[in-house]
Amino acid sequence: MNYPDESTYGNKADIISTVEFNHTGELLATGDKGGRVVIFQREQESKNQIHRRGEYNVYSTFQSHEPEFDYLKSLEIEEKINKIRWLPQQNAAYFLLSTNDKTVKLWKVSERDKRPEGYNLKDEEGRLRDPATITTLRVPVLRPMDLMVEATPRRVFANAHTYHINSISVNSDYETYMSADDLRINLWNFEITNQSFNIVDIKPANMEELTEVITAAEFHPHHCNTFVYSSSKGTIRLCDMRASALCDRHTKFFEEPEDPSNRSFFSEIISSISDVKFSHSGRYIMTRDYLTVKVWDLNMENRPIETYQVHDYLRSKLCSLYENDCIFDKFECVWNGSDSVIMTGSYNNFFRMFDRNTKRDVTLEASRENSKPRAILKPRKVCVGGKRRKDEISVDSLDFSKKILHTAWHPSENIIAVAATNNLYIFQDKVN
C-alpha cells in the first residue's frame, strides 16, 4: 500500500487498521499497524448531567503482535492487526481475538484493585525469608491498590494459514470461530490451538488457473452452522456446515449480473467485495465494493434489494485511482443497531450514511478542524464539473491519502467510531 511520507502522519505504526465495539458498547478496541491494541472504556454517567453518557477514555493498551520472519519462505510477517473480534462477556474479565496476517491470539483483559500482603515465606519485598526465623503463622490479607488493567494472551492459534488472514468471525455457539485467508477458511475451537478444521478450500491444483480469492467471511449471527464469504469476483457464497464437512459447494450464490453498457477495463477490480456483514437480524447481508454498498436478502440470490452509491463521482477518475493504487483500497461497512442505517467510508476523510427507510443519505467529514467537542458535523457535498457552490468541494481537490477504511457502530446507541489514518473520532447523536 502506498502511504504518504511519514512526516504527514507522524509514525506509520500509529495508523489504525481495525475498530470494534464490544457487545455492550462499553468498550471500543482499535488495532494499528504497529501491532498494538488500544481499548477505550466509556465513563459512567455523571450525576449532574443525567442525559450525557460519558466519553470514551483509554482503558488498556498492549502489544498484541510483534514483527516476525518466516525463515523457510524468507518472508517478513508484519505485526499489523488486521481484525479484532470481541467475545460476549461471561464474567468480570473481557476476551477478544486479534489477528495479524498469520497468527490469531485470544486475549484476556482483567482488572486488579487488590493485592495480597502478609506472606509467610516471603518478606514485603518478595525475597524468601530464612525458614528458621519464621515463628508465627500469618494470615495473608487483601489490601486495596490502584486499579491495574492487565492483558494476558490466553491462546495462540498459529501455523494454519499459508496466505494472509483477512477475516476472523466468532460463531454464535461461542465455542468456535473461523479465520479466512485468500484461499482457505479454517474453523477453530477456542480450547484447541494446535489444530483447526479446513471448511473452505478454493485453491486450484494448478495455481496458474487461479481466478478469484476470498476477501471476507462472517458467521451468521444466530445460526451456528451458516456462514458467508465474499470473493474478488464480486460474488457471495452462503455455506451450511451441516451439508458437508468441506463447504466447497455453497448453499446459495449471490451475484448481480453486470450491465454490459458499464463494462470497462476496471470492471473486475471495482466489483471485488472488500467487506461482508450480516445484519443483526440475520435476514440480510451487506457487501461493500469499490463504488457501492449493496444489501442482499438471504432469500433472493440474483440481485441485491438495495444499492447505494458511495462516491459515484469517482467513476471518471478510475484511471488515476488505478495508477496511485487507491483502486485496491479495502473499505469496510457497518450496520447500526437496528439495521436501519448503514455506514461506510470514502476519501478526503469523508464517510457516508444511508438511511434504508427514508432513502436519505449524508456525507460527513472526520477531521481535526471540525471535530471540536460538542460541535455539530455539517453535511459535505462533492460537485462534479461545472459551477461549484461555495459549500461544495470539487472532485479534483479531494485528498486520496486521507481515507476512512475502518468504522464501527455502537450495538444499541447512535455512537460511531471512525478511524481516519492515525486518528480515532467518536461521534454521537445530539442529545437534547
Side-chain angles (χ1 to χ4, degrees):
M1 298 304 299
N2 293 16
Y3 278 97
D5 61 297
E6 297 207 12
S7 59
T8 326
Y9 293 127
N11 188 353
K12 261 190 200 169
D14 295 336
I15 292 171
I16 298 170
S17 51
T18 183
V19 191
E20 191 76 12
F21 280 101
N22 75 339
H23 291 255
T24 60
E26 290 303 299
L27 298 180
L28 171 67
T30 65
D32 66 22
K33 289 195 76 161
R36 284 182 305 268
V37 171
V38 181
I39 300 174
F40 299 86
Q41 184 183 42
R42 198 170 178 195
E43 273 177 12
Q44 290 312 303
E45 214 166 312
S46 61
K47 294 280 180 288
N48 48 4
Q49 291 177 294
I50 302 300
H51 296 299
R52 234 198 80 221
R53 280 300 311 269
E55 316 273 311
Y56 283 84
N57 292 322
V58 174
Y59 176 64
S60 172
T61 304
F62 57 94
Q63 189 71 30
S64 172
H65 287 70
E66 303 281 353
E68 293 172 61
F69 190 78
D70 183 337
Y71 295 98
L72 292 174
K73 299 198 178 76
S74 293
L75 275 181
E76 283 182 48
I77 300 168
E78 278 190 5
E79 65 274 40
K80 173 186 164 217
I81 309 288
N82 292 342
K83 286 283 185 287
I84 290 172
R85 290 289 178 263
W86 291 91
L87 277 68
Q89 195 177 357
Q90 309 286 354
N91 52 27
Y94 301 100
F95 286 88
L96 61 86
L97 286 173
S98 65
T99 186
N100 67 348
D101 285 341
K102 296 288 177 194
T103 304
V104 183
K105 294 183 182 182
L106 175 69
W107 289 89
K108 176 185 181 182
V109 181
S110 52
E111 295 184 358
R112 255 208 354 227
D113 60 356
K114 293 182 177 63
R115 66 162 179 268
E117 272 181 19
Y119 291 104
N120 288 288
L121 303 177
K122 295 177 185 166
D123 63 15
E124 298 310 326
E125 269 76 60
R127 289 186 297 266
L128 283 173
R129 293 163 61 181
D130 177 5
T133 64
I134 301 172
T135 53
T136 55
L137 184 66
R138 295 199 288 176
V139 179
V141 291
L142 288 173
R143 294 250 187 271
M145 59 176 244
D146 289 342
L147 179 71
M148 263 179 64
V149 182
E150 297 176 314
T152 46
R154 297 308 300 271
R155 306 266 189 282
V156 177
F157 306 89
N159 308 322
H161 285 277
T162 314
Y163 307 98
H164 292 348
I165 297 173
N166 56 46
S167 304
I168 45 177
S169 179
V170 179
N171 200 347
S172 58
D173 62 9
Y174 305 133
E175 289 177 18
T176 55
Y177 77 90
M178 68 175 166
S179 56
D181 67 23
D182 295 344
L183 298 178
R184 295 193 181 97
I185 300 176
N186 292 331
L187 182 70
W188 300 83
N189 185 303
F190 277 111
E191 300 302 322
I192 303 167
T193 59
N194 58 356
Q195 61 177 352
S196 63
F197 196 80
N198 182 226
I199 49 174
V200 171
D201 186 349
I202 63 165
K203 185 179 178 184
N206 175 9
M207 279 296 269
E208 286 175 5
E209 292 165 12
L210 182 70
T211 58
E212 66 180 328
V213 294
I214 297 166
T215 55
E218 191 177 58
F219 269 119
H220 190 283
H222 316 301
H223 304 314
C224 60
N225 51 283
T226 311
F227 66 93
V228 291
Y229 69 91
S230 59
S231 89
S232 56
K233 276 195 162 171
T235 61
I236 309 113
R237 290 173 175 84
L238 180 84
C239 301
D240 188 338
M241 292 192 287
R242 296 171 303 187
S244 69
L246 191 63
C247 300
D248 278 4
R249 286 197 296 280
H250 47 266
T251 313
K252 291 190 173 186
F253 182 75
F254 301 86
E255 182 178 30
E256 184 171 30
E258 195 195 7
D259 179 358
S261 62
N262 278 344
R263 181 109 190 109
S264 77
F265 169 74
F266 304 107
S267 295
E268 242 168 69
I269 303 174
I270 63 172
S271 65
S272 174
I273 292 172
S274 54
D275 197 15
V276 60
K277 291 269 169 56
F278 270 104
S279 62
H280 296 83
S281 66
R283 169 75 190 265
Y284 305 102
I285 34 184
M286 162 167 60
T287 58
R288 169 74 209 257
D289 56 41
Y290 191 64
L291 294 176
T292 66
V293 173
K294 293 174 180 161
V295 176
W296 304 76
D297 188 317
L298 281 194
N299 303 322
M300 189 165 101
E301 297 168 64
N302 59 343
R303 61 190 167 82
I305 54 167
E306 297 158 29
T307 300
Y308 300 99
Q309 300 295 337
V310 178
H311 36 216
D312 203 44
Y313 45 78
L314 295 183
R315 233 175 246 285
S316 59
K317 295 249 169 290
L318 292 177
C319 206
S320 53
L321 289 163
Y322 178 74
E323 283 164 11
N324 66 12
D325 274 356
C326 284
I327 201 167
F328 302 109
D329 286 335
K330 292 176 170 49
F331 292 95
E332 294 168 10
C333 52
V334 288
W335 301 87
N336 72 340
S338 60
D339 298 333
S340 60
V341 182
I342 53 191
M343 168 172 67
T344 191
S346 179
Y347 293 103
N348 208 65
N349 279 354
F350 288 170
F351 57 98
R352 305 267 286 134
M353 286 182 175
F354 303 96
D355 187 314
R356 298 179 58 210
N357 301 326
T358 63
K359 299 296 182 233
R360 287 217 301 264
D361 65 286
V362 66
T363 303
L364 300 170
E365 182 182 4
S367 70
R368 289 225 170 131
E369 292 74 66
N370 61 10
S371 64
K372 298 181 179 62
R374 311 274 155 267
I376 293 173
L377 290 182
K378 287 202 296 285
R380 305 299 306 260
K381 283 211 162 41
V382 178
C383 77
V384 187
K387 287 204 190 82
R388 184 167 69 90
R389 296 205 189 94
K390 70 167 180 9
D391 56 346
E392 289 184 335
I393 180 165
S394 146
V395 173
D396 299 317
S397 55
L398 294 175
D399 186 344
F400 290 105
S401 67
K402 292 180 177 166
K403 49 191 93 166
I404 290 178
L405 303 175
H406 315 287
T407 57
W409 203 306
H410 188 291
S412 55
E413 296 181 42
N414 277 340
I415 298 176
I416 57 171
V418 175
T421 17
N422 58 347
N423 294 312
L424 178 71
Y425 296 93
I426 297 172
F427 301 110
Q428 65 178 354
D429 229 1
K430 186 165 142 268
V431 182
N432 300 335

